Amino acid sequence: MIDAQQVKLAATQLGWDACGLVALQSVDEVHRQAFLQWLRQGQQAQMAYLEINTTKHLHPQQWLPEMQTLIVLLWQYTPAQWQDEHLPQIACYAYGQDYHSLLKKKLRELLQCLQTTYPALAGRALVDTAPLLERHWAMQAGLGFIGNNAMLIHPQIGSFVFIASLAVNDAANAYDRPLQPTTCEDCGQCAEACPARAIVAPRVIDARRCIAYWTIEAAHWGIAPAQKCRCGYIFGCDICQKVCPHNKIPLVSVHAQNAVNQKLTQMTAADWQNIDEASFGALTRHSALRRAGFRGIKSNLQHYFF
Ligand code: SF4
Ligand code: SF4
């Protein structure tokens, strides 16, 4: 049996900003129903993989049969410096190097560290690509609550956080519980600020309207948005997080790995218009922005920055 405090100490020493543990089990009934309702209403847009993998999302223990515990970790990415607001905007999680490989490496380091005490411990590093409701499990692991903008909000470090998980094949001596309160109470600033009116109910985002969906997922698939929206973003969208009071306290990530790519974040509209495919490839080589693709970014410029 792994010691929860020892896991959290190791995570802190390796640079993670927060860590919680939860038993690997099915999603509870309330959240199961909410997820199914969201799918039934088509609010996942064309993200068909969510429907195809519904059972996996709701019952992660089925595709991780050896695993007993989910160690959920947060890595804060609030940038030290925001883009000039007159430039085409990039969601700040993509200001620096792509986080997938970095976080997988950090998860493997944590596993190796734990294996010095628990040699039989096996684990699986999960970052974004697995059928796991990361925000749900982060909330269950006591790392924050889900805001009306559907983001996980940690009370001290806000919502500009990556969520990563290490599933391990042993139980823990203690598990965490969701924090209280678990709602936003009377705020509502995110829904008011959303230029696409995509926050259709507390904690419910209609992806068919959401700029983050259109400028990343849909752009990746070559689907051009049907409408224009003058929001200034050409990759992702931070508007509903930027206005959130939980992100107002001056929070800056301490991680050197999150260093801002100045060349990328200082691109002007003319720079994006004139860039050719080869230069785009070089500019985005280690960037999450690459996911939208060369043509996707050009299309986003026309639809969201005009
Ligand atoms: S990411 Fe942008 S478009 Fe999507 S809900 Fe938030 S503010 Fe609205
Ligand atoms: S802006 Fe207000 S309502 Fe929206 S997530 Fe933040 S606290 Fe909640």
Side-chain angles (χ1 to χ4, degrees):
M1 183 169 284
I2 54 173
D3 180 82
Q5 283 313 316
Q6 187 188 352
V7 173
K8 290 178 186 182
L9 183 63
T12 304
Q13 287 170 344
L14 288 169
W16 292 97
D17 293 297
C19 173
L21 286 83
V22 65
L24 193 66
Q25 57 196 340
S26 295
V27 170
D28 64 63
E29 189 57 19
V30 171
H31 293 97
R32 187 178 86 88
Q33 288 301 339
F35 183 60
L36 292 175
Q37 169 83 346
W38 186 71
L39 292 176
R40 269 196 300 273
Q41 295 191 343
Q43 291 168 328
Q44 76 282 22
Q46 297 195 35
M47 293 182 280
Y49 56 88
L50 291 169
E51 282 169 87
I52 294 164
N53 292 318
T54 299
T55 305
K56 287 185 177 172
H57 278 96
L58 294 175
H59 307 287
Q61 74 280 23
Q62 289 184 5
W63 58 273
L64 291 166
E66 311 295 321
M67 302 300 165
Q68 296 188 49
T69 299
L70 211 50
I71 302 170
V72 191
L73 300 125
L74 303 185
W75 184 273
Q76 193 200 1
Y77 62 82
T78 320
Q81 183 189 351
W82 291 88
Q83 269 187 296
D84 182 313
E85 61 182 22
H86 302 295
L87 295 174
Q89 299 290 293
I90 297 167
C92 68
Y93 82 82
Y95 278 13
Q97 66 165 297
D98 192 353
Y99 61 95
H100 292 90
S101 50
L102 165 69
L103 296 189
K104 280 216 163 166
K105 181 169 158 271
K106 299 299 296 182
L107 287 174
R108 282 194 291 271
E109 283 175 14
L110 177 60
L111 180 61
Q112 283 162 7
C113 174
L114 295 175
Q115 283 168 334
T116 59
T117 307
Y118 310 102
L121 195 71
R124 185 152 160 202
L126 306 164
V127 183
D128 236 15
T129 47
L132 196 68
L133 298 175
E134 284 109 343
R135 294 173 199 171
H136 170 77
W137 292 113
M139 180 189 69
Q140 296 296 334
L143 298 180
F145 67 95
I146 307 296
N148 284 1
N149 58 6
M151 303 302 293
L152 178 88
I153 300 175
H154 183 284
Q156 274 85 47
I157 57 175
S159 68
F160 290 114
V161 290
F162 296 123
I163 304 172
S165 305
L166 182 65
V168 293
N169 65 340
D170 203 352
N173 65 346
Y175 288 115
D176 292 284
R177 289 169 178 272
L179 299 180
Q180 299 295 331
T182 55
T183 67
C184 295
E185 296 170 356
D186 300 328
C187 174
Q189 291 184 60
C190 51
E192 272 173 45
C194 174
R197 295 284 172 261
I199 304 174
V200 292
R203 299 177 293 286
V204 181
I205 307 292
D206 188 339
R208 292 169 299 190
R209 299 183 184 184
C210 180
I211 294 154
Y213 164 76
W214 283 108
T215 55
I216 303 175
E217 303 296 333
H220 174 67
W221 296 320
I223 308 168
Q227 291 178 337
K228 293 188 167 196
C229 174
R230 194 191 292 272
C231 66
Y233 274 85
I234 60 161
F235 183 83
C237 172
D238 285 333
I239 294 169
C240 58
Q241 293 192 79
K242 269 184 154 179
V243 299
C244 179
H246 293 281
N247 289 326
K248 292 287 183 199
I249 20 174
L251 303 165
V252 173
S253 166
V254 296
H255 304 301
Q257 297 95 328
N258 293 1
V260 173
N261 179 339
Q262 299 292 345
K263 207 170 165 194
L264 186 73
T265 55
Q266 290 179 13
M267 290 281 285
T268 65
D271 291 338
W272 284 117
Q273 270 149 10
N274 296 330
I275 196 167
D276 61 29
E277 196 156 1
S279 305
F280 178 86
L283 179 69
T284 61
R285 182 157 298 129
H286 302 292
S287 165
L289 192 133
R290 199 181 185 87
R291 179 163 176 78
F294 174 68
R295 283 175 191 77
I297 292 293
K298 298 267 187 183
S299 164
N300 292 344
L301 263 177
Q302 288 173 14
H303 287 89
Y304 298 108
F305 192 89
F306 55 91

